PDB file of all heavy atoms in Angstrom:
ATOM      1  N   GLN A 435      -8.500  40.245  33.310  1.00 93.00           N
ATOM      2  CA  GLN A 435      -9.914  39.824  33.502  1.00 93.00           C
ATOM      3  C   GLN A 435     -10.156  38.384  33.159  1.00 93.00           C
ATOM      4  O   GLN A 435     -11.306  37.907  33.271  1.00 93.00           O
ATOM      5  CB  GLN A 435     -10.891  40.808  32.767  1.00 93.00           C
ATOM      6  CG  GLN A 435     -10.683  42.212  33.037  1.00 93.00           C
ATOM      7  CD  GLN A 435     -10.901  42.520  34.533  1.00 93.00           C
ATOM      8  OE1 GLN A 435     -11.889  41.998  35.136  1.00 93.00           O
ATOM      9  NE2 GLN A 435      -9.988  43.295  35.172  1.00 93.00           N
ATOM     10  N   SER A 436      -9.177  37.699  32.718  1.00 93.00           N
ATOM     11  CA  SER A 436      -9.371  36.278  32.348  1.00 93.00           C
ATOM     12  C   SER A 436      -9.659  35.423  33.526  1.00 93.00           C
ATOM     13  O   SER A 436      -9.472  35.835  34.705  1.00 93.00           O
ATOM     14  CB  SER A 436      -8.187  35.619  31.596  1.00 93.00           C
ATOM     15  OG  SER A 436      -6.983  35.648  32.546  1.00 93.00           O
ATOM     16  N   ARG A 437     -10.123  34.173  33.396  1.00 92.00           N
ATOM     17  CA  ARG A 437     -10.434  33.285  34.504  1.00 92.00           C
ATOM     18  C   ARG A 437      -9.194  32.933  35.348  1.00 92.00           C
ATOM     19  O   ARG A 437      -8.053  32.898  34.833  1.00 92.00           O
ATOM     20  CB  ARG A 437     -11.082  32.033  33.954  1.00 92.00           C
ATOM     21  CG  ARG A 437     -12.401  32.227  33.266  1.00 92.00           C
ATOM     22  CD  ARG A 437     -12.835  30.889  32.544  1.00 92.00           C
ATOM     23  NE  ARG A 437     -13.057  29.875  33.503  1.00 92.00           N
ATOM     24  CZ  ARG A 437     -14.067  29.643  34.138  1.00 92.00           C
ATOM     25  NH1 ARG A 437     -15.121  30.478  34.063  1.00 92.00           N
ATOM     26  NH2 ARG A 437     -14.204  28.605  34.963  1.00 92.00           N
ATOM     27  N   GLN A 438      -9.420  32.854  36.644  1.00 94.00           N
ATOM     28  CA  GLN A 438      -8.353  32.517  37.554  1.00 94.00           C
ATOM     29  C   GLN A 438      -8.368  30.978  37.976  1.00 94.00           C
ATOM     30  O   GLN A 438      -9.467  30.470  37.910  1.00 94.00           O
ATOM     31  CB  GLN A 438      -8.561  33.365  38.824  1.00 94.00           C
ATOM     32  CG  GLN A 438      -8.605  34.939  38.572  1.00 94.00           C
ATOM     33  CD  GLN A 438      -8.766  35.727  39.773  1.00 94.00           C
ATOM     34  OE1 GLN A 438      -8.427  35.288  40.942  1.00 94.00           O
ATOM     35  NE2 GLN A 438      -9.302  36.895  39.667  1.00 94.00           N
ATOM     36  N   HIS A 439      -7.225  30.505  38.276  1.00 94.00           N
ATOM     37  CA  HIS A 439      -7.104  29.101  38.607  1.00 94.00           C
ATOM     38  C   HIS A 439      -6.246  28.957  39.821  1.00 94.00           C
ATOM     39  O   HIS A 439      -5.465  29.870  40.139  1.00 94.00           O
ATOM     40  CB  HIS A 439      -6.616  28.352  37.434  1.00 94.00           C
ATOM     41  CG  HIS A 439      -5.191  28.659  37.051  1.00 94.00           C
ATOM     42  ND1 HIS A 439      -4.858  29.386  35.932  1.00 94.00           N
ATOM     43  CD2 HIS A 439      -3.967  28.365  37.624  1.00 94.00           C
ATOM     44  CE1 HIS A 439      -3.544  29.544  35.797  1.00 94.00           C
ATOM     45  NE2 HIS A 439      -2.991  28.891  36.863  1.00 94.00           N
ATOM     46  N   LEU A 440      -6.281  27.848  40.413  1.00 94.00           N
ATOM     47  CA  LEU A 440      -5.492  27.463  41.604  1.00 94.00           C
ATOM     48  C   LEU A 440      -4.741  26.093  41.287  1.00 94.00           C
ATOM     49  O   LEU A 440      -5.170  25.282  40.491  1.00 94.00           O
ATOM     50  CB  LEU A 440      -6.269  27.255  42.775  1.00 94.00           C
ATOM     51  CG  LEU A 440      -7.014  28.446  43.453  1.00 94.00           C
ATOM     52  CD1 LEU A 440      -7.856  28.040  44.613  1.00 94.00           C
ATOM     53  CD2 LEU A 440      -5.968  29.488  43.888  1.00 94.00           C
ATOM     54  N   ARG A 441      -3.593  26.063  41.814  1.00 92.00           N
ATOM     55  CA  ARG A 441      -2.794  24.786  41.859  1.00 92.00           C
ATOM     56  C   ARG A 441      -2.790  24.223  43.299  1.00 92.00           C
ATOM     57  O   ARG A 441      -1.937  24.659  44.063  1.00 92.00           O
ATOM     58  CB  ARG A 441      -1.440  24.954  41.313  1.00 92.00           C
ATOM     59  CG  ARG A 441      -1.430  25.298  39.881  1.00 92.00           C
ATOM     60  CD  ARG A 441      -0.052  25.566  39.316  1.00 92.00           C
ATOM     61  NE  ARG A 441       0.776  24.399  39.437  1.00 92.00           N
ATOM     62  CZ  ARG A 441       2.125  24.392  38.960  1.00 92.00           C
ATOM     63  NH1 ARG A 441       2.647  25.515  38.390  1.00 92.00           N
ATOM     64  NH2 ARG A 441       2.835  23.399  39.172  1.00 92.00           N
ATOM     65  N   PRO A 442      -3.731  23.353  43.637  1.00 91.00           N
ATOM     66  CA  PRO A 442      -3.802  22.955  45.034  1.00 91.00           C
ATOM     67  C   PRO A 442      -2.532  22.459  45.573  1.00 91.00           C
ATOM     68  O   PRO A 442      -2.312  22.539  46.867  1.00 91.00           O
ATOM     69  CB  PRO A 442      -4.993  21.869  44.990  1.00 91.00           C
ATOM     70  CG  PRO A 442      -5.718  22.213  43.719  1.00 91.00           C
ATOM     71  CD  PRO A 442      -4.814  22.846  42.794  1.00 91.00           C
ATOM     72  N   ASP A 443      -1.778  21.763  44.788  1.00 91.00           N
ATOM     73  CA  ASP A 443      -0.428  21.241  45.345  1.00 91.00           C
ATOM     74  C   ASP A 443       0.426  22.357  45.839  1.00 91.00           C
ATOM     75  O   ASP A 443       1.189  22.084  46.779  1.00 91.00           O
ATOM     76  CB  ASP A 443       0.278  20.383  44.299  1.00 91.00           C
ATOM     77  CG  ASP A 443       0.697  21.281  43.071  1.00 91.00           C
ATOM     78  OD1 ASP A 443      -0.208  21.773  42.387  1.00 91.00           O
ATOM     79  OD2 ASP A 443       1.898  21.491  42.848  1.00 91.00           O
ATOM     80  N   GLN A 444       0.277  23.566  45.415  1.00 92.00           N
ATOM     81  CA  GLN A 444       1.025  24.644  45.903  1.00 92.00           C
ATOM     82  C   GLN A 444       0.593  25.098  47.219  1.00 92.00           C
ATOM     83  O   GLN A 444       1.332  25.857  47.918  1.00 92.00           O
ATOM     84  CB  GLN A 444       1.003  25.827  44.881  1.00 92.00           C
ATOM     85  CG  GLN A 444       1.605  25.432  43.436  1.00 92.00           C
ATOM     86  CD  GLN A 444       3.118  25.571  43.405  1.00 92.00           C
ATOM     87  OE1 GLN A 444       3.611  26.638  43.929  1.00 92.00           O
ATOM     88  NE2 GLN A 444       3.772  24.591  42.881  1.00 92.00           N
ATOM     89  N   LEU A 445      -0.631  24.823  47.547  1.00 93.00           N
ATOM     90  CA  LEU A 445      -1.206  25.342  48.892  1.00 93.00           C
ATOM     91  C   LEU A 445      -0.745  24.256  50.040  1.00 93.00           C
ATOM     92  O   LEU A 445      -0.839  24.611  51.174  1.00 93.00           O
ATOM     93  CB  LEU A 445      -2.733  25.359  48.819  1.00 93.00           C
ATOM     94  CG  LEU A 445      -3.298  26.360  47.815  1.00 93.00           C
ATOM     95  CD1 LEU A 445      -4.726  26.352  47.786  1.00 93.00           C
ATOM     96  CD2 LEU A 445      -2.774  27.820  48.271  1.00 93.00           C
ATOM     97  N   ILE A 446      -0.358  23.127  49.639  1.00 93.00           N
ATOM     98  CA  ILE A 446       0.159  22.199  50.770  1.00 93.00           C
ATOM     99  C   ILE A 446       1.278  22.694  51.461  1.00 93.00           C
ATOM    100  O   ILE A 446       1.253  22.639  52.853  1.00 93.00           O
ATOM    101  CB  ILE A 446       0.434  20.790  50.190  1.00 93.00           C
ATOM    102  CG1 ILE A 446      -0.864  20.179  49.538  1.00 93.00           C
ATOM    103  CG2 ILE A 446       1.066  19.828  51.102  1.00 93.00           C
ATOM    104  CD1 ILE A 446      -0.522  18.797  48.820  1.00 93.00           C
ATOM    105  N   PRO A 447       2.340  23.268  50.953  1.00 94.00           N
ATOM    106  CA  PRO A 447       3.314  23.878  51.753  1.00 94.00           C
ATOM    107  C   PRO A 447       2.920  25.074  52.566  1.00 94.00           C
ATOM    108  O   PRO A 447       3.360  25.323  53.722  1.00 94.00           O
ATOM    109  CB  PRO A 447       4.390  24.407  50.651  1.00 94.00           C
ATOM    110  CG  PRO A 447       4.142  23.574  49.479  1.00 94.00           C
ATOM    111  CD  PRO A 447       2.639  23.324  49.387  1.00 94.00           C
ATOM    112  N   VAL A 448       1.836  25.713  52.245  1.00 93.00           N
ATOM    113  CA  VAL A 448       1.306  26.823  53.115  1.00 93.00           C
ATOM    114  C   VAL A 448       0.627  26.212  54.241  1.00 93.00           C
ATOM    115  O   VAL A 448       0.912  26.729  55.363  1.00 93.00           O
ATOM    116  CB  VAL A 448       0.222  27.618  52.267  1.00 93.00           C
ATOM    117  CG1 VAL A 448      -0.443  28.642  53.193  1.00 93.00           C
ATOM    118  CG2 VAL A 448       0.828  28.354  51.051  1.00 93.00           C
ATOM    119  N   LEU A 449      -0.185  25.144  54.119  1.00 94.00           N
ATOM    120  CA  LEU A 449      -0.722  24.583  55.247  1.00 94.00           C
ATOM    121  C   LEU A 449       0.327  23.909  56.059  1.00 94.00           C
ATOM    122  O   LEU A 449       0.242  23.904  57.378  1.00 94.00           O
ATOM    123  CB  LEU A 449      -1.686  23.450  54.775  1.00 94.00           C
ATOM    124  CG  LEU A 449      -2.979  23.970  54.033  1.00 94.00           C
ATOM    125  CD1 LEU A 449      -3.752  22.800  53.490  1.00 94.00           C
ATOM    126  CD2 LEU A 449      -3.766  25.002  54.803  1.00 94.00           C
ATOM    127  N   TRP A 450       1.349  23.307  55.543  1.00 94.00           N
ATOM    128  CA  TRP A 450       2.459  22.675  56.273  1.00 94.00           C
ATOM    129  C   TRP A 450       3.155  23.789  57.079  1.00 94.00           C
ATOM    130  O   TRP A 450       3.417  23.507  58.282  1.00 94.00           O
ATOM    131  CB  TRP A 450       3.448  22.060  55.209  1.00 94.00           C
ATOM    132  CG  TRP A 450       4.453  21.115  55.801  1.00 94.00           C
ATOM    133  CD1 TRP A 450       5.415  21.470  56.731  1.00 94.00           C
ATOM    134  CD2 TRP A 450       4.585  19.764  55.631  1.00 94.00           C
ATOM    135  NE1 TRP A 450       6.180  20.417  56.990  1.00 94.00           N
ATOM    136  CE2 TRP A 450       5.758  19.306  56.356  1.00 94.00           C
ATOM    137  CE3 TRP A 450       3.878  18.758  54.927  1.00 94.00           C
ATOM    138  CZ2 TRP A 450       6.098  17.994  56.456  1.00 94.00           C
ATOM    139  CZ3 TRP A 450       4.244  17.442  54.875  1.00 94.00           C
ATOM    140  CH2 TRP A 450       5.362  17.013  55.679  1.00 94.00           C
ATOM    141  N   ALA A 451       3.455  24.998  56.526  1.00 92.00           N
ATOM    142  CA  ALA A 451       4.171  25.954  57.254  1.00 92.00           C
ATOM    143  C   ALA A 451       3.308  26.515  58.407  1.00 92.00           C
ATOM    144  O   ALA A 451       3.805  26.694  59.524  1.00 92.00           O
ATOM    145  CB  ALA A 451       4.559  27.041  56.346  1.00 92.00           C
ATOM    146  N   ALA A 452       1.954  26.665  58.025  1.00 92.00           N
ATOM    147  CA  ALA A 452       1.048  27.113  59.192  1.00 92.00           C
ATOM    148  C   ALA A 452       0.999  26.125  60.258  1.00 92.00           C
ATOM    149  O   ALA A 452       0.921  26.467  61.462  1.00 92.00           O
ATOM    150  CB  ALA A 452      -0.226  27.378  58.605  1.00 92.00           C
ATOM    151  N   LEU A 453       1.037  24.786  59.909  1.00 94.00           N
ATOM    152  CA  LEU A 453       0.908  23.719  60.875  1.00 94.00           C
ATOM    153  C   LEU A 453       2.189  23.834  61.811  1.00 94.00           C
ATOM    154  O   LEU A 453       2.156  23.649  63.039  1.00 94.00           O
ATOM    155  CB  LEU A 453       0.791  22.459  60.326  1.00 94.00           C
ATOM    156  CG  LEU A 453       0.729  21.186  61.200  1.00 94.00           C
ATOM    157  CD1 LEU A 453      -0.517  21.422  62.153  1.00 94.00           C
ATOM    158  CD2 LEU A 453       0.605  19.917  60.426  1.00 94.00           C
ATOM    159  N   LYS A 454       3.383  23.974  61.112  1.00 92.00           N
ATOM    160  CA  LYS A 454       4.624  24.104  61.950  1.00 92.00           C
ATOM    161  C   LYS A 454       4.528  25.227  62.862  1.00 92.00           C
ATOM    162  O   LYS A 454       5.006  25.093  64.040  1.00 92.00           O
ATOM    163  CB  LYS A 454       5.817  24.173  61.108  1.00 92.00           C
ATOM    164  CG  LYS A 454       6.165  22.993  60.210  1.00 92.00           C
ATOM    165  CD  LYS A 454       7.455  23.090  59.521  1.00 92.00           C
ATOM    166  CE  LYS A 454       8.552  23.191  60.461  1.00 92.00           C
ATOM    167  NZ  LYS A 454       9.957  23.234  59.832  1.00 92.00           N
TER     168      LYS A 454
END
Side-chain angles (χ1 to χ4, degrees):
Q435 301 304 315
S436 65
R437 295 170 61 84
Q438 302 178 26
H439 65 256
L440 293 178
R441 294 177 59 179
D443 63 295
Q444 297 276 317
L445 294 177
I446 294 176
V448 175
L449 298 177
W450 192 294
L453 179 60
K454 287 190 65 175

